[in-house]
Amino acid sequence: MTLSDAACRVLNTADPAEKVRLTYAYAHEWRAGNIAEIGTSSPPDRPARPVKPVLCPPSDMPKRSAGGGKRRTNLIHAIAHIELNAIDLAWDAVARFAPLNLPKAFYDDWVRVAEDEARHFEMLQNRLVELGASYGDIPAHDGLWEAALNTNDDVLARMALAPMLLEARGLDTTPATVERLRANGDDATADIFELIGEEEISHVAAGVRWFEYVCEQRHLPPTPTFKSLVRERYKGQIKPPFNVPARTQAGMRADYYEPDCAAKA
């Protein structure tokens, strides 16, 4: 089995618990050298998904906040859904861009990211169970995978939109969410969110690192290229407040996101 084969098997696995188990197993086998080749395989356009949650347009999603009761469960479920998609995003990057013959460190990074995301999903699922719920109980939306579909053709676009834009936005929003959770007396959930926020810094850093590597290979200026890709391929808005310390720690210079990236694409 090659690494690309392993990635595609995860992508084609619908059950979340099995997706997590396979991610742990293949990450271990890759690091141990038991999976020796990257290989090439054809990843699906969309990963396999369980029957639940029902996928709805973002405008139809239930309100999520760090408040008590149902809103807190909605929040945890929404982030768990993002983390499940993030497992697949990382494995998709491995398989989809295997033919580019990027340095082995590229694949090392995204296998590690997949493993992190699997652990994040598992922590959030366990927290849902503690609160009397489970992943799949609440509708979710497919917005994150739409970004994947929109960047299937170009590793540079994928690095720009997934880690450097969407995951970086998570860095911006996490501190305020953690603060609200603690203010509402939910230190258990706050601790999980805080850990996820800290670990996502390295994911954004991987995106920046490989974005700038590919820009160098193509003789492209990184900042204008990033802003051009955002304008062309992102339908939402990038606006402050920005978590500047976390973004800086991830190697993301302010000129990537200030000031004109604040305008609607």
Side-chain angles (χ1 to χ4, degrees):
M1 175 181 288
T2 68
L3 186 64
S4 294
D5 292 334
C8 288
R9 185 173 174 191
V10 176
L11 290 163
N12 287 314
T13 297
D15 179 67
E18 181 66 3
K19 191 182 292 287
V20 167
R21 187 192 72 79
L22 288 174
T23 294
Y24 290 154
Y26 292 146
H28 172 78
E29 292 297 294
W30 173 249
R31 281 195 300 272
N34 296 327
I35 298 176
E37 296 181 15
I38 295 168
T40 56
S41 296
S42 298
D45 286 339
R46 289 184 178 273
R49 284 286 176 262
V51 175
K52 291 184 177 180
V54 175
L55 298 180
C56 301
S59 58
D60 293 343
M61 289 298 299
K63 184 176 178 59
R64 70 190 205 198
S65 76
K70 188 174 181 180
R71 285 189 176 183
R72 177 179 56 178
T73 304
N74 288 348
L75 169 67
I76 298 168
H77 190 280
I79 304 305
H81 182 68
I82 289 171
E83 298 297 331
L84 186 71
N85 274 273
I87 298 170
D88 287 321
L89 270 171
W91 284 118
D92 185 82
V94 168
R96 192 166 303 280
F97 304 120
L100 300 182
N101 294 316
L102 291 160
K104 178 179 177 291
F106 174 89
Y107 306 99
D108 289 339
D109 273 348
W110 296 111
V111 169
R112 175 185 56 80
V113 169
E115 191 174 30
D116 283 351
E117 307 293 18
R119 186 161 37 79
H120 296 169
F121 174 82
E122 198 169 41
M123 288 189 295
L124 292 165
Q125 163 65 346
N126 290 341
R127 183 60 180 147
L128 285 170
V129 171
E130 290 172 355
L131 296 171
S134 184
Y135 178 70
D137 288 352
I138 300 167
H141 69 78
D142 205 29
L144 188 58
W145 203 257
E146 291 298 329
L149 289 172
N150 199 26
T151 56
N152 277 350
D153 63 313
D154 187 3
V155 65
L156 201 60
R158 175 65 63 84
M159 296 298 104
L161 264 69
M164 292 180 68
L165 193 156
L166 297 176
E167 287 201 76
R169 198 62 190 145
L171 301 184
D172 300 334
T173 60
T174 295
T177 302
V178 169
E179 185 177 343
R180 289 195 299 271
L181 285 164
R182 295 202 189 281
N184 282 284
D186 188 357
D187 286 333
T189 304
D191 289 345
I192 294 170
F193 275 56
E194 192 165 55
L195 176 62
I196 290 173
E198 290 169 359
E199 293 187 346
E200 296 286 345
I201 292 172
S202 68
H203 303 179
V204 176
V208 173
R209 179 163 53 252
W210 294 109
F211 180 84
E212 293 181 348
Y213 173 86
V214 176
C215 281
E216 182 178 359
Q217 296 299 303
R218 297 182 187 179
H219 306 290
L220 296 170
T223 300
T225 301
F226 173 76
K227 292 181 177 181
S228 176
L229 287 167
V230 169
R231 285 192 297 269
E232 291 171 3
R233 302 195 185 215
Y234 184 61
K235 296 178 181 178
Q237 293 181 329
I238 309 173
K239 57 185 179 181
F242 299 116
N243 186 342
V244 175
R247 285 173 176 257
T248 301
Q249 189 177 340
M252 196 172 192
R253 301 183 309 274
D255 61 348
Y256 274 121
Y257 54 90
E258 292 180 340
D260 53 331
C261 272
K264 185 174 181 180

